[in-house]
């Protein structure tokens, strides 16, 4: 295998040029070392907030992309952690770098057959736009390594709204990627996963400061992401709804903060399966607005699926050109129009034969 990257030993891990021809660029502050491993992968808290939107909520527009990753064995033991940053000079996304043929992940698994699970924590969901083809590369990678499972957690959806010309391609690509379940899972970052990121990938955050409250703006965005990815893919994501916990909290201050939050009218207080709100792209959050002080305990990530799942359907049938019928019309197909009298007649063989005999008698009488 002829690798595309070059890797160098650093003080607390390694630094990697994802493409050996990259050089220092004035247009990109991270060039040429866009992949960093070990403790070199930690980023300052201010950078984490600006890119991931924690704890106040999403920041728009997303100018940079950052993806943290963990490579694990089938038992869950950590083999390597790291991050990949987007290249603003060459307009390249992190997933495109990591999943490139003969790229870093390809080489890592080729050289270490203990790796069975890849976990991505991305600031944005992967896209499939022509300049990046992130999901296409991920799809090709997973086809090459069918024993590898992939979990993708994201802070916000990337170009899936109708105002973006590439949204149909991105949504269809996300559906295709999600169809590989249980080999692939797509979920929003939520609950204790935020604390896992602070603990493992952010520098200068220690002790009690790791378990800071999840603010209302962030929790509402996580709920919105869960609803949207479920609507796009049809697959229920792994999701911790801290707002639901806040609503069940008897603390009056918590209730008042949640009800008085300006985004509460944007995201109705319902489970993510039935939420219909839309987050405005130009929305900014004021750090002084009321917050929901909910401390979510650190939890392990959901169980890793290794091998075929007994719950996965063996045969999947996709129907094309399905007529667009609303749910109400579907439920009313067997109902008669309102006010129209209906008479039900059961026709039996005896009834039919007697009816035919009567008709013959009438014809004879006429003749």
């Amino acid at each position: 295998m002829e690798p595309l990257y070059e890797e160098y030993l650093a003080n607390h891990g390694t630094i990697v040029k994802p493409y050996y021809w990259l050089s220092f660029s004035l247009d990109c502050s991270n060039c040429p070392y866009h992949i960093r491993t070990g403790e070199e992968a930690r980023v300052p808290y201010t950078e984490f907030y600006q890119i991931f939107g924690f704890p106040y909520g999403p920041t728009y527009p997303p100018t940079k992309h950052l993806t943290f990753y963990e490579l694990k064995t089938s038992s869950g033991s950590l083999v390597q952690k790291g991050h990949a940053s987007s290249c603003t000079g060459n307009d390249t996304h992190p997933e495109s770098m990591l999943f490139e043929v003969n790229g870093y992940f390809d080489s890592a698994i080729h050289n270490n057959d203990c790796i069975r699970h890849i976990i991505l924590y991305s600031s944005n969901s992967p896209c499939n736009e022509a300049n990046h083809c992130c999901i296409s590369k991920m799809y090709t990678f997973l086809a090459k390594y069918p024993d590898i499972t992939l979990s993708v957690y994201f802070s916000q959806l990337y170009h899936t709204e109708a105002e973006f010309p590439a949204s149909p391609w991105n949504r269809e690509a996300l559906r295709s990627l999600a169809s590989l379940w249980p080999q692939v899972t797509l979920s929003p970052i939520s609950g204790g996963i935020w604390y896992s990121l602070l603990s493992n990938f952010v520098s200068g955050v220690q002790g009690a400061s790791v378990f800071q409250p999840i603010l209302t703006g962030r929790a509402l965005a996580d709920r919105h992401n869960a609803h949207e990815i479920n609507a796009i893919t049809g697959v229920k994501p792994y999701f911790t709804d801290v707002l639901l916990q806040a609503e069940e909290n008897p603390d009056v201050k918590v209730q008042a903060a949640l009800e008085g939050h300006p985004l509460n009218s944007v995201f109705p207080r319902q489970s993510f399966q039935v939420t219909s709100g839309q987050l405005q792209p130009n929305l900014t959050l004021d750090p002084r607005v009321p917050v929901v002080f909910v401390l979510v305990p650190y939890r392990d990530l959901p169980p890793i699926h290794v091998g075929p799942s007994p719950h996965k359907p063996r045969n999947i049938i996709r129907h094309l050109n399905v007529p667009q019928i609303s749910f109400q019309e579907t439920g009313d197909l067997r109902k008669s129009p309102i006010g129209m009298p209906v008479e039900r007649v059961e026709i039996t063989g005896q009834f039919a034969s007697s009816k035919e005999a009567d008709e013959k008698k009438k014809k004879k009488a006429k003749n």
Side-chain angles (χ1 to χ4, degrees), residues 66-70 95 99 105 117-127 134-135 138 142 149-157 174 177-178 182-190 193 229 237-238 301-302:
L66 182 64
T67 296
F68 300 112
Y69 71 83
E70 291 176 331
E95 296 87 353
F99 290 94
F105 277 176
H117 192 58
I118 299 174
I119 306 175
L120 302 184
Y121 309 95
S122 299
S123 57
N124 297 275
S125 59
C127 77
C134 302
I135 293 179
M138 296 165 80
L142 292 167
T149 56
L150 172 66
S151 296
V152 180
Y153 297 92
F154 58 89
S155 174
Q156 60 194 53
L157 288 159
L174 287 170
L177 190 61
Q183 187 183 11
V184 177
T185 57
L186 295 169
S187 305
I189 301 174
S190 64
I193 299 178
I229 196 64
Y238 172 81
L301 294 174

Side-chain angles (χ1 to χ4, degrees), residues 22 73 83 107 132 151 186 232 294 311 322-323:
L22 277 181
T73 64
H83 85 229
S107 178
H132 311 291
S151 296
L186 295 169
I232 292 171
V294 179
H311 303 293
V322 179

Side-chain angles (χ1 to χ4, degrees), residues 308-365:
S309 170
H311 303 293
K312 183 179 181 180
R314 295 183 179 181
N315 298 315
I316 300 176
I317 302 175
R318 288 187 172 90
H319 298 278
L320 301 179
N321 300 326
V322 179
Q324 299 297 322
I325 302 177
S326 66
F327 289 106
Q328 184 176 1
E329 291 172 342
T330 305
D332 293 339
L333 286 177
R334 296 183 180 179
K335 295 181 181 180
S336 60
I338 298 174
M340 178 180 293
V342 177
E343 180 183 359
R344 293 190 178 184
V345 179
E346 182 178 356
I347 300 176
T348 62
Q350 182 179 0
F351 177 82
S353 59
S354 61
K355 187 176 180 181
E356 290 176 1
D358 292 341
E359 290 178 355
K360 288 180 179 179
K361 289 179 180 179
K362 289 179 180 180
K363 288 181 180 179
K364 288 181 179 179

Side-chain angles (χ1 to χ4, degrees), residues 42 44 75 119 153 169 187 213 220 227 265-268 299 335 337:
R42 290 187 180 271
S75 63
I119 306 175
Y153 297 92
W169 287 271
S187 305
L220 286 168
H227 161 71
S265 59
V266 180
F267 300 101
R299 296 186 181 93
K335 295 181 181 180

